[in-house]
């Protein structure tokens, strides 16, 4: 039986300007609906700007600046995509250290669309199974990942999806994985 109660769990969503709006708002809503406390973490203070397919969309208030965020206070991490968001995070040493700490602690991490680009630069994809938007699949393979074209792939606590079209199954899967709190073998959902 899959558990979906996230009461008492604190989840971080790491973003910079240029995230795909739905890839932040839909997972955040799903996690909160399951009882989680969700914090938007960003290298920026104030508001981060979301996009909808390259057009300005919603601005989201930052709950805590990356400089002050302690990864030990979070049970799991979500990395939304968008083209510009991961491009900024993947060159930010503090963001990469933040991401690595979740892997080192055995905590679940979810990434969608271009989000796995951050995982490449954090050096955490080698030997892992992932899916992602087609544009970065070769980058993932070059970094040593096994890449498939599935709606969602779960590899030992790493949950990945391809595009906003996969958000329903991505959101359902992250809630279940974050609630279960255990590592699972590789499987496509």
């Amino acid at each position: 039986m899959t558990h979906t109660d996230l009461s008492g769990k604190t989840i971080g969503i790491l973003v910079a300007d240029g995230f795909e709006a739905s890839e932040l708002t839909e997972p955040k809503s799903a996690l909160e609906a399951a009882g989680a406390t969700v914090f938007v973490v960003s290298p920026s203070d104030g508001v981060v700007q979301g996009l909808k397919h390259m057009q300005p969309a919603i601005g989201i208030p930052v709950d805590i600046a990356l400089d002050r965020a302690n990864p030990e206070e979070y049970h799991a991490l979500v990395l939304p995509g968008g083209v510009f968001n991961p491009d900024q995070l993947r060159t930010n040493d503090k963001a990469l250290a933040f991401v690595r700490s979740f892997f080192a602690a055995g905590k679940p991490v979810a990434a969608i669309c271009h989000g796995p680009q951050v995982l490449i630069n954090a050096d955490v994809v080698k030997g892992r199974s992932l899916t992602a938007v087609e544009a970065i699949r070769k980058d993932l393979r070059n970094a040593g990942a096994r890449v498939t074209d599935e709606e969602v792939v779960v590899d030992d606590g790493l949950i990945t999806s391809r595009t906003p079209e996969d958000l329903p199954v991505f959101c359902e899967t992250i809630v279940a994985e974050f609630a279960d709190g255990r590592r699972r073998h590789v499987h496509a959902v």
Side-chain angles (χ1 to χ4, degrees):
M1 182 171 141
T2 302
H3 303 312
T4 58
D5 182 9
L6 295 177
S7 298
K9 301 236 183 201
T10 303
I11 313 298
I13 299 180
L14 180 62
V15 294
D17 287 325
F19 62 91
E20 185 66 32
S22 62
E23 295 173 2
L24 184 153
T25 59
E26 290 186 34
K28 184 176 188 292
S29 292
L31 293 165
E32 289 173 339
T37 301
V38 181
F39 288 92
V40 174
V41 180
S42 179
S44 306
D45 278 324
V47 174
V48 283
Q49 180 62 53
L51 301 176
K52 182 175 182 179
H53 307 295
M54 308 294 278
Q55 298 300 315
I58 189 170
I60 300 287
V62 173
D63 295 309
I64 187 163
L66 180 60
D67 286 342
R68 296 187 317 274
N70 180 352
E72 293 176 13
E73 296 176 1
Y74 301 92
H75 293 94
L77 179 66
V78 178
L79 298 168
V83 175
F84 304 109
N85 163 54
D87 204 47
Q88 293 177 69
L89 294 175
R90 70 189 298 186
T91 58
N92 182 310
D93 290 336
K94 289 179 182 175
L96 297 177
F98 190 77
V99 169
R100 281 187 208 105
S101 68
F102 283 82
F103 285 87
K107 296 177 181 179
V109 174
I112 186 168
C113 201
H114 287 78
Q117 287 181 310
V118 179
L119 303 176
I120 292 169
N121 284 42
D123 294 319
V124 295
V125 299
K126 187 173 184 178
R128 305 295 296 261
S129 292
L130 292 89
T131 191
V133 66
E134 185 176 357
I136 69 165
R137 290 182 193 156
K138 186 171 186 174
D139 299 329
L140 285 164
R141 285 187 194 98
N142 288 341
R146 293 180 302 273
V147 182
T148 61
D149 184 12
E150 306 287 339
E151 283 183 310
V152 67
V153 173
V154 178
D155 180 352
D156 194 31
L158 174 60
I159 305 106
T160 52
S161 279
R162 303 171 298 188
T163 66
E165 287 75 28
D166 298 330
L167 279 166
V169 70
F170 179 71
C171 291
E172 179 182 319
T173 303
I174 64 173
V175 167
E177 289 292 318
F178 292 179
D180 284 350
R182 68 179 191 272
R183 311 308 256 160
R184 294 189 180 177
H185 295 282
V186 175
H187 66 279
V189 176

